């Protein structure tokens, strides 16, 4: 297992089996690890949301 990246937060996702299987196929076709594929989708989703509703301001905890 690769070492954790210091600038990343580990999370746990619970996924529907069919969605997980399809995501694995897409990740393989895109030549990405599954985790990187999810990260890519989340990034694109946030970008789309901000395009629609404006920039989200993040306040450090």
């Amino acid at each position: 297992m690769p070492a954790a990246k210091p600038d990343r937060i580990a999370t746990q996702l619970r996924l529907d089996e069919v969605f997980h299987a399809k995501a694995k196929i897409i990740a393989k076709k895109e030549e990405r690890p599954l985790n990187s594929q999810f990260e890519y989708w989340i990034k694109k989703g946030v970008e789309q949301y901000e395009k629609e509703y404006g920039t989200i301001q993040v306040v450090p905890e």
Side-chain angles (χ1 to χ4, degrees):
M1 182 175 227
K5 295 180 182 178
D7 62 337
R8 301 287 200 267
I9 296 171
T11 63
Q12 181 179 7
L13 291 173
R14 288 179 175 80
L15 304 170
D16 173 89
E17 287 182 37
V18 174
F19 176 75
H20 183 261
K22 289 180 180 184
K24 281 174 55 175
I25 292 167
I26 293 168
K28 186 174 182 177
K29 287 182 179 189
E30 295 291 322
E31 298 181 357
R32 289 189 182 103
L34 185 57
N35 191 69
S36 295
Q37 186 66 48
F38 287 135
E39 192 173 358
Y40 173 78
W41 283 334
I42 292 167
K43 179 182 179 203
K44 290 300 179 186
V46 170
E47 287 172 356
Q48 181 61 39
Y49 184 93
E50 288 185 321
K51 184 177 175 183
E52 235 176 283
Y53 299 103
T55 302
I56 300 167
Q57 298 300 319
V58 177
V59 179
E61 294 179 11

